[in-house]
């Protein structure tokens, strides 16, 4: 039986996937500063030249890892949101899922701790924002179309609610008593969401 030869595109994709998987594992365990390029390429089973060819440097690999992690988080949020829920239920479920995800040491280290410090706030936000912002805006647009919220501008409202979710995660990450902090966050967000859908 003839075995199909892998194309250059296949080899490139495999190399990138191996480096991202290695980076995701090592950055989560040791932090960006604690991982050298030699460790990365050894874990990925590729050459140092492959790392530089595919990503340029360790920072660019980290940016790709961050995007990969954010993609995983987005999938978990989609799975957690009820299809036929009202806006308060949808947004509450999404926030609960986001805070659950932030309990994962991988998410804490890569997204909340190293992401802003390694890439700078502007680039960190640019990578993370598109993944979840689209979900929030879609939920808001649906609620507006169904009459489930007042006719407010969806785009800026999506940004505001995303900021609430991000700040909630950062606040929880730094809290000494995480259980109490989470309960307080959910009380506040529930009140905000109820106010949002209450006719003025």
């Amino acid at each position: 039986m003839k075995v199909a030869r892998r194309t250059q595109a296949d080899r490139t994709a495999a190399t990138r996937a191996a480096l991202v998987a290695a980076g995701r594992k090592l950055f989560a365990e040791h932090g960006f500063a604690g991982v050298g390029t030699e460790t990365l390429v050894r874990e990925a089973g590729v050459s140092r030249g492959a790392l530089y060819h595919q990503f340029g440097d360790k920072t660019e690999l980290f940016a790709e890892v961050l995007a990969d992690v954010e993609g995983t988080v987005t999938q978990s949020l989609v799975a957690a949101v009820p299809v036929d829920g009202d806006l308060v239920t949808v947004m509450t479920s999404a926030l609960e899922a986001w805070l659950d995800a932030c309990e994962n040491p991988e998410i804490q280290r890569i997204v909340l701790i190293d992401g802003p410090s390694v890439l700078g706030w502007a680039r960190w936000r640019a990578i993370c924002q598109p993944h979840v912002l689209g979900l929030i805006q879609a939920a808001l647009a649906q609620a507006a179309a169904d009459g489930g919220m007042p006719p407010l501008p969806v785009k800026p409202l999506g940004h505001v609610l995303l900021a609430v979710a991000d700040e909630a995660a950062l606040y929880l990450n730094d809290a000494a008593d995480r259980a109490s902090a989470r309960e307080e966050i959910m009380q506040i967000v529930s009140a905000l969401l109820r106010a949002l859908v209450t006719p003025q």
Side-chain angles (χ1 to χ4, degrees):
M1 182 173 109
K2 186 176 180 180
V3 178
R5 296 181 61 185
R6 292 202 304 171
T7 65
Q8 181 61 39
D10 291 336
R11 291 191 292 271
T12 295
T15 298
R16 289 181 70 87
L19 283 164
V20 169
R24 188 165 172 163
K25 174 178 182 291
L26 294 171
F27 292 144
E29 291 176 356
H30 307 291
F32 178 83
V35 180
T37 54
E38 283 298 332
T39 305
L40 279 167
V41 298
R42 184 168 57 250
E43 177 72 24
V46 302
S47 67
R48 182 192 288 265
L51 169 63
Y52 293 138
H53 177 71
Q54 295 296 330
F55 294 102
D57 59 22
K58 187 175 76 165
T59 300
E60 291 307 308
L61 171 60
F62 179 83
E64 187 74 12
V65 167
L66 175 61
D68 190 59
V69 172
E70 277 290 318
T72 301
V73 171
T74 302
Q75 290 174 0
S76 71
L77 299 189
V78 170
V81 171
V83 176
D84 56 353
D86 61 19
L87 183 62
V88 172
T89 301
V90 167
M91 296 304 296
T92 300
S93 299
L95 181 60
E96 290 276 17
W98 167 235
L99 296 180
D100 285 344
C102 291
E103 294 291 337
N104 184 326
E106 178 186 61
I107 309 300
Q108 291 175 13
R109 170 65 75 172
I110 294 174
V111 176
L112 300 179
I113 298 173
D114 281 353
S117 63
V118 171
L119 300 174
W121 185 85
R123 190 173 184 199
W124 170 73
R125 182 173 178 267
I127 291 172
C128 295
Q129 194 177 70
H131 289 273
V132 178
L133 183 59
L135 296 179
I136 294 174
Q137 291 179 337
L140 293 173
Q142 187 63 53
D146 294 342
M149 61 173 268
L152 297 170
V154 166
K155 185 175 180 180
L157 181 56
H159 281 266
V160 169
L161 293 178
L162 180 61
V164 169
D166 284 344
E167 285 298 322
L170 292 169
Y171 177 79
L172 186 59
N173 190 58
D174 291 336
D177 183 347
R178 298 173 71 88
S180 295
R182 179 163 178 164
E183 183 177 343
E184 291 168 351
I185 286 169
M186 294 311 302
Q187 287 176 355
I188 293 166
V189 171
S190 293
L192 289 173
L193 292 172
R194 287 195 301 272
L196 177 63
V197 300
T198 300
Q200 301 299 312

PDB file of all heavy atoms in Angstrom, residues 89-106:
ATOM      1  N   THR A  89     -30.003  34.912  32.230  1.00  0.00           N
ATOM      2  CA  THR A  89     -29.563  33.523  32.390  1.00  0.00           C
ATOM      3  C   THR A  89     -28.333  33.231  31.538  1.00  0.00           C
ATOM      4  O   THR A  89     -27.372  32.608  32.015  1.00  0.00           O
ATOM      5  CB  THR A  89     -30.696  32.555  31.992  1.00  0.00           C
ATOM      6  OG1 THR A  89     -31.836  32.811  32.807  1.00  0.00           O
ATOM      7  CG2 THR A  89     -30.264  31.111  32.163  1.00  0.00           C
ATOM      8  N   VAL A  90     -28.344  33.698  30.290  1.00  0.00           N
ATOM      9  CA  VAL A  90     -27.220  33.460  29.384  1.00  0.00           C
ATOM     10  C   VAL A  90     -25.954  34.116  29.906  1.00  0.00           C
ATOM     11  O   VAL A  90     -24.892  33.491  29.989  1.00  0.00           O
ATOM     12  CB  VAL A  90     -27.557  33.979  27.973  1.00  0.00           C
ATOM     13  CG1 VAL A  90     -26.302  34.037  27.102  1.00  0.00           C
ATOM     14  CG2 VAL A  90     -28.598  33.087  27.318  1.00  0.00           C
ATOM     15  N   MET A  91     -26.043  35.381  30.281  1.00  0.00           N
ATOM     16  CA  MET A  91     -24.857  36.102  30.731  1.00  0.00           C
ATOM     17  C   MET A  91     -24.362  35.588  32.081  1.00  0.00           C
ATOM     18  O   MET A  91     -23.158  35.511  32.318  1.00  0.00           O
ATOM     19  CB  MET A  91     -25.150  37.598  30.810  1.00  0.00           C
ATOM     20  CG  MET A  91     -25.479  38.243  29.465  1.00  0.00           C
ATOM     21  SD  MET A  91     -24.187  38.000  28.211  1.00  0.00           S
ATOM     22  CE  MET A  91     -22.839  38.885  28.957  1.00  0.00           C
ATOM     23  N   THR A  92     -25.273  35.213  32.956  1.00  0.00           N
ATOM     24  CA  THR A  92     -24.871  34.655  34.254  1.00  0.00           C
ATOM     25  C   THR A  92     -24.164  33.322  34.055  1.00  0.00           C
ATOM     26  O   THR A  92     -23.124  33.060  34.680  1.00  0.00           O
ATOM     27  CB  THR A  92     -26.093  34.474  35.174  1.00  0.00           C
ATOM     28  OG1 THR A  92     -26.714  35.750  35.389  1.00  0.00           O
ATOM     29  CG2 THR A  92     -25.676  33.892  36.519  1.00  0.00           C
ATOM     30  N   SER A  93     -24.712  32.467  33.195  1.00  0.00           N
ATOM     31  CA  SER A  93     -24.085  31.165  32.923  1.00  0.00           C
ATOM     32  C   SER A  93     -22.702  31.348  32.302  1.00  0.00           C
ATOM     33  O   SER A  93     -21.759  30.634  32.649  1.00  0.00           O
ATOM     34  CB  SER A  93     -24.971  30.351  31.975  1.00  0.00           C
ATOM     35  OG  SER A  93     -26.235  30.101  32.537  1.00  0.00           O
ATOM     36  N   ALA A  94     -22.585  32.319  31.392  1.00  0.00           N
ATOM     37  CA  ALA A  94     -21.301  32.566  30.749  1.00  0.00           C
ATOM     38  C   ALA A  94     -20.275  33.053  31.759  1.00  0.00           C
ATOM     39  O   ALA A  94     -19.111  32.627  31.741  1.00  0.00           O
ATOM     40  CB  ALA A  94     -21.468  33.582  29.624  1.00  0.00           C
ATOM     41  N   LEU A  95     -20.688  33.948  32.659  1.00  0.00           N
ATOM     42  CA  LEU A  95     -19.745  34.448  33.670  1.00  0.00           C
ATOM     43  C   LEU A  95     -19.331  33.343  34.633  1.00  0.00           C
ATOM     44  O   LEU A  95     -18.153  33.239  34.998  1.00  0.00           O
ATOM     45  CB  LEU A  95     -20.362  35.621  34.439  1.00  0.00           C
ATOM     46  CG  LEU A  95     -19.452  36.231  35.512  1.00  0.00           C
ATOM     47  CD1 LEU A  95     -18.155  36.773  34.901  1.00  0.00           C
ATOM     48  CD2 LEU A  95     -20.166  37.325  36.289  1.00  0.00           C
ATOM     49  N   GLU A  96     -20.294  32.526  35.039  1.00  0.00           N
ATOM     50  CA  GLU A  96     -19.954  31.398  35.926  1.00  0.00           C
ATOM     51  C   GLU A  96     -18.940  30.477  35.245  1.00  0.00           C
ATOM     52  O   GLU A  96     -17.965  30.033  35.867  1.00  0.00           O
ATOM     53  CB  GLU A  96     -21.222  30.609  36.282  1.00  0.00           C
ATOM     54  CG  GLU A  96     -22.186  31.331  37.193  1.00  0.00           C
ATOM     55  CD  GLU A  96     -21.841  31.191  38.672  1.00  0.00           C
ATOM     56  OE1 GLU A  96     -20.703  30.824  38.993  1.00  0.00           O
ATOM     57  OE2 GLU A  96     -22.731  31.474  39.494  1.00  0.00           O
ATOM     58  N   ALA A  97     -19.149  30.196  33.969  1.00  0.00           N
ATOM     59  CA  ALA A  97     -18.220  29.340  33.231  1.00  0.00           C
ATOM     60  C   ALA A  97     -16.853  29.995  33.099  1.00  0.00           C
ATOM     61  O   ALA A  97     -15.814  29.320  33.180  1.00  0.00           O
ATOM     62  CB  ALA A  97     -18.794  29.012  31.850  1.00  0.00           C
ATOM     63  N   TRP A  98     -16.831  31.309  32.871  1.00  0.00           N
ATOM     64  CA  TRP A  98     -15.564  32.042  32.772  1.00  0.00           C
ATOM     65  C   TRP A  98     -14.807  31.993  34.097  1.00  0.00           C
ATOM     66  O   TRP A  98     -13.598  31.736  34.129  1.00  0.00           O
ATOM     67  CB  TRP A  98     -15.854  33.478  32.343  1.00  0.00           C
ATOM     68  CG  TRP A  98     -14.734  34.459  32.486  1.00  0.00           C
ATOM     69  CD1 TRP A  98     -14.776  35.639  33.160  1.00  0.00           C
ATOM     70  CD2 TRP A  98     -13.415  34.390  31.927  1.00  0.00           C
ATOM     71  NE1 TRP A  98     -13.579  36.292  33.074  1.00  0.00           N
ATOM     72  CE2 TRP A  98     -12.724  35.547  32.320  1.00  0.00           C
ATOM     73  CE3 TRP A  98     -12.751  33.446  31.145  1.00  0.00           C
ATOM     74  CZ2 TRP A  98     -11.399  35.803  31.955  1.00  0.00           C
ATOM     75  CZ3 TRP A  98     -11.430  33.693  30.774  1.00  0.00           C
ATOM     76  CH2 TRP A  98     -10.770  34.852  31.178  1.00  0.00           C
ATOM     77  N   LEU A  99     -15.503  32.211  35.198  1.00  0.00           N
ATOM     78  CA  LEU A  99     -14.840  32.160  36.509  1.00  0.00           C
ATOM     79  C   LEU A  99     -14.386  30.733  36.840  1.00  0.00           C
ATOM     80  O   LEU A  99     -13.335  30.543  37.463  1.00  0.00           O
ATOM     81  CB  LEU A  99     -15.766  32.707  37.589  1.00  0.00           C
ATOM     82  CG  LEU A  99     -16.124  34.195  37.446  1.00  0.00           C
ATOM     83  CD1 LEU A  99     -17.047  34.628  38.585  1.00  0.00           C
ATOM     84  CD2 LEU A  99     -14.879  35.072  37.398  1.00  0.00           C
ATOM     85  N   ASP A 100     -15.168  29.740  36.414  1.00  0.00           N
ATOM     86  CA  ASP A 100     -14.734  28.344  36.571  1.00  0.00           C
ATOM     87  C   ASP A 100     -13.430  28.109  35.812  1.00  0.00           C
ATOM     88  O   ASP A 100     -12.499  27.491  36.319  1.00  0.00           O
ATOM     89  CB  ASP A 100     -15.803  27.379  36.046  1.00  0.00           C
ATOM     90  CG  ASP A 100     -16.997  27.247  36.974  1.00  0.00           C
ATOM     91  OD1 ASP A 100     -16.887  27.642  38.148  1.00  0.00           O
ATOM     92  OD2 ASP A 100     -18.052  26.752  36.512  1.00  0.00           O
ATOM     93  N   ALA A 101     -13.391  28.604  34.574  1.00  0.00           N
ATOM     94  CA  ALA A 101     -12.185  28.435  33.755  1.00  0.00           C
ATOM     95  C   ALA A 101     -10.988  29.098  34.413  1.00  0.00           C
ATOM     96  O   ALA A 101      -9.862  28.577  34.362  1.00  0.00           O
ATOM     97  CB  ALA A 101     -12.418  29.021  32.364  1.00  0.00           C
ATOM     98  N   CYS A 102     -11.218  30.226  35.056  1.00  0.00           N
ATOM     99  CA  CYS A 102     -10.122  30.969  35.676  1.00  0.00           C
ATOM    100  C   CYS A 102      -9.592  30.297  36.942  1.00  0.00           C
ATOM    101  O   CYS A 102      -8.576  30.730  37.499  1.00  0.00           O
ATOM    102  CB  CYS A 102     -10.553  32.402  35.976  1.00  0.00           C
ATOM    103  SG  CYS A 102     -10.790  33.394  34.487  1.00  0.00           S
ATOM    104  N   GLU A 103     -10.276  29.259  37.409  1.00  0.00           N
ATOM    105  CA  GLU A 103      -9.747  28.456  38.518  1.00  0.00           C
ATOM    106  C   GLU A 103      -8.654  27.502  38.031  1.00  0.00           C
ATOM    107  O   GLU A 103      -7.891  26.954  38.815  1.00  0.00           O
ATOM    108  CB  GLU A 103     -10.870  27.652  39.181  1.00  0.00           C
ATOM    109  CG  GLU A 103     -11.926  28.497  39.883  1.00  0.00           C
ATOM    110  CD  GLU A 103     -11.390  29.176  41.132  1.00  0.00           C
ATOM    111  OE1 GLU A 103     -10.400  28.694  41.705  1.00  0.00           O
ATOM    112  OE2 GLU A 103     -11.965  30.205  41.521  1.00  0.00           O
ATOM    113  N   ASN A 104      -8.613  27.286  36.714  1.00  0.00           N
ATOM    114  CA  ASN A 104      -7.605  26.411  36.116  1.00  0.00           C
ATOM    115  C   ASN A 104      -6.247  27.111  36.155  1.00  0.00           C
ATOM    116  O   ASN A 104      -6.113  28.225  35.653  1.00  0.00           O
ATOM    117  CB  ASN A 104      -8.008  26.111  34.665  1.00  0.00           C
ATOM    118  CG  ASN A 104      -7.070  25.143  33.986  1.00  0.00           C
ATOM    119  OD1 ASN A 104      -5.869  25.117  34.240  1.00  0.00           O
ATOM    120  ND2 ASN A 104      -7.610  24.352  33.076  1.00  0.00           N
ATOM    121  N   PRO A 105      -5.215  26.467  36.744  1.00  0.00           N
ATOM    122  CA  PRO A 105      -3.897  27.119  36.817  1.00  0.00           C
ATOM    123  C   PRO A 105      -3.354  27.536  35.460  1.00  0.00           C
ATOM    124  O   PRO A 105      -2.631  28.534  35.362  1.00  0.00           O
ATOM    125  CB  PRO A 105      -3.016  26.032  37.459  1.00  0.00           C
ATOM    126  CG  PRO A 105      -3.964  25.194  38.245  1.00  0.00           C
ATOM    127  CD  PRO A 105      -5.233  25.178  37.444  1.00  0.00           C
ATOM    128  N   GLU A 106      -3.687  26.797  34.411  1.00  0.00           N
ATOM    129  CA  GLU A 106      -3.240  27.157  33.067  1.00  0.00           C
ATOM    130  C   GLU A 106      -3.818  28.507  32.650  1.00  0.00           C
ATOM    131  O   GLU A 106      -3.104  29.366  32.124  1.00  0.00           O
ATOM    132  CB  GLU A 106      -3.674  26.082  32.065  1.00  0.00           C
ATOM    133  CG  GLU A 106      -3.289  26.407  30.621  1.00  0.00           C
ATOM    134  CD  GLU A 106      -3.846  25.402  29.633  1.00  0.00           C
ATOM    135  OE1 GLU A 106      -5.084  25.270  29.550  1.00  0.00           O
ATOM    136  OE2 GLU A 106      -3.043  24.744  28.946  1.00  0.00           O
TER     137      GLU A 106
END
